[in-house]
Amino acid sequence: QSDFLWDADGWTTSDPGKAELVHGQKMIKAADQGGDIWYFVAPEKFLGNKRAAYGGSLVFRHGFFEYDSDGQEMVDGYDVVLLSETHDLEIRQKFVIPAWAFRSEHELELVETAGWELASTGGVPSRPDMLRLLSALSGVRIRGGYYAGHEDSYITAVRLVAGPQDDTPPRTSLKAQHIVAGG
């Protein structure tokens, strides 16, 4: 988890040239000057084998100190993106952050039926896709850039919450079962 109590906790932005990260009181924030889509990018501790998060959730608060829509709707794009370079998988969600809201809290379920889209097909990811992605997670991105004009956005209280414990015994081959059972 990242509570941002003392520092930015290793978080960066996807485009530091357009949105420079600043540590605030229990938050990180960044501002931009135009309609660019950019993301808050999670540090190493959110990456790697996070298979235990399957059935759990990604929790965070998102907000804006200010924004200028320049008279336009939010710039269309994906709000949360999860990546696995090892398995060449990307899942993502749109419409997580409500338009015109200055603060919102989110708990995104980490299961295939929770509104995720598989980038390669535009369809719903399968359970094996989700498990492979979480077993080798290489990127967690939460969108910061939404509006056509200037904006100053923040995130805080980011957590990956484990799902229910899988008590299913590991599968063994029939040969291994015979050896154990027959001695």
Side-chain angles (χ1 to χ4, degrees), residues 54-120:
Y54 180 78
S57 56
L58 173 63
V59 178
F60 62 95
R61 273 184 254 152
H62 182 281
F64 299 94
F65 287 110
E66 63 181 333
Y67 58 79
D68 175 8
S69 68
D70 209 21
Q72 300 176 40
E73 294 295 323
M74 290 171 67
V75 176
D76 187 40
Y78 292 93
D79 298 342
V80 177
V81 178
L82 304 179
L83 306 159
S84 173
E85 291 175 3
T86 301
H87 298 295
D88 194 27
L89 288 169
E90 177 182 322
I91 64 167
R92 54 204 186 174
Q93 278 197 25
K94 280 186 170 185
F95 311 116
V96 173
I97 308 301
W100 318 114
F102 274 97
R103 179 180 170 197
S104 53
E105 297 192 22
H106 306 280
E107 185 171 353
L108 305 179
E109 288 184 275
L110 296 173
V111 293
E112 59 280 1
T113 57
W116 294 101
E117 174 186 299
L118 187 61
S120 61

